[in-house]
Amino acid sequence: MLSSKTLYVTAFLIAISGCAASKKEVADFDVKVKDKFKTDIRTNGIKLFTYQAKLAAPDDIKTQLPHQERISQVNRSRRANSKRYEVDLSDWTAQIELGLNKTLDMTGYCREGYLELSRIIEVGRGEIRGECNEGATDEDRSKFSS
């Protein structure tokens, strides 16, 4: 029989390995994602952003005509409505959050973090809107103004 000390050590190691495994990286996700990052610097210095992500489908490679896109939307909607089970969006949500954080790190847009204004996460697409904690500098205005 195992001693209580051995059991505690084993439980502790399992708990630590579970925590270490929970941090997601880009390589953890085996899907192609198309994303867009839009910035909006207001005249009063408020820095806003919108991050959108969607699963890249083979149809995304070629541009669809508007009526083809609408037919695809209707078909996806019918399939979604026919399913009577709840979908687990936790991995997709984690991927969107990771994409946003990597984008903010690469661009340097919200250097001091951000306040999330809204979030829409659905199967295959998501959007996060936010406001940076810091105000815009002259460098921000020249780098991010379109």
Side-chain angles (χ1 to χ4, degrees):
M1 182 177 257
L2 297 174
S3 71
S4 61
K5 184 177 181 182
T6 304
L7 287 174
Y8 288 127
V9 169
T10 304
F12 177 74
L13 291 174
I14 290 171
I16 287 179
S17 67
C19 293
S22 66
K23 185 172 180 180
K24 300 281 186 185
E25 291 295 325
V26 174
D28 293 338
F29 301 102
D30 190 26
V31 294
K32 298 284 185 203
V33 175
K34 291 177 65 172
D35 62 352
K36 281 195 275 187
F37 182 66
K38 292 187 269 186
T39 61
D40 179 16
I41 298 178
R42 302 290 171 95
T43 55
N44 60 359
I46 292 176
K47 293 167 51 177
L48 303 170
F49 67 85
T50 302
Y51 179 78
Q52 297 173 320
K54 71 175 191 170
L55 290 176
D59 292 338
D60 291 335
I61 296 170
K62 61 181 188 292
T63 305
Q64 288 185 329
L65 296 174
H67 73 281
Q68 292 171 322
E69 186 173 333
R70 181 67 185 136
I71 290 169
S72 296
Q73 288 173 348
V74 169
N75 289 338
R76 283 192 304 268
S77 175
R78 285 183 184 151
R79 283 193 301 263
N81 290 336
S82 68
K83 297 176 182 168
R84 301 249 183 235
Y85 58 89
E86 197 164 314
V87 178
D88 179 14
L89 295 173
S90 57
D91 282 345
W92 178 233
T93 300
Q95 186 167 7
I96 293 169
E97 291 169 347
L98 179 64
L100 171 59
N101 291 329
K102 294 283 185 189
T103 300
L104 291 174
D105 287 346
M106 288 187 315
T107 61
Y109 189 66
C110 293
R111 294 175 299 279
E112 298 175 18
Y114 64 91
L115 171 68
E116 188 173 305
L117 301 176
S118 70
R119 171 186 292 232
I120 300 170
I121 307 292
E122 297 174 344
V123 175
R125 71 180 202 90
E127 175 183 284
I128 297 176
R129 293 177 50 244
E131 178 181 334
C132 298
N133 291 338
E134 77 277 0
T137 63
D138 290 337
E139 184 181 335
D140 289 334
R141 289 181 194 282
S142 64
K143 183 176 179 182
F144 297 109
S145 295
S146 47

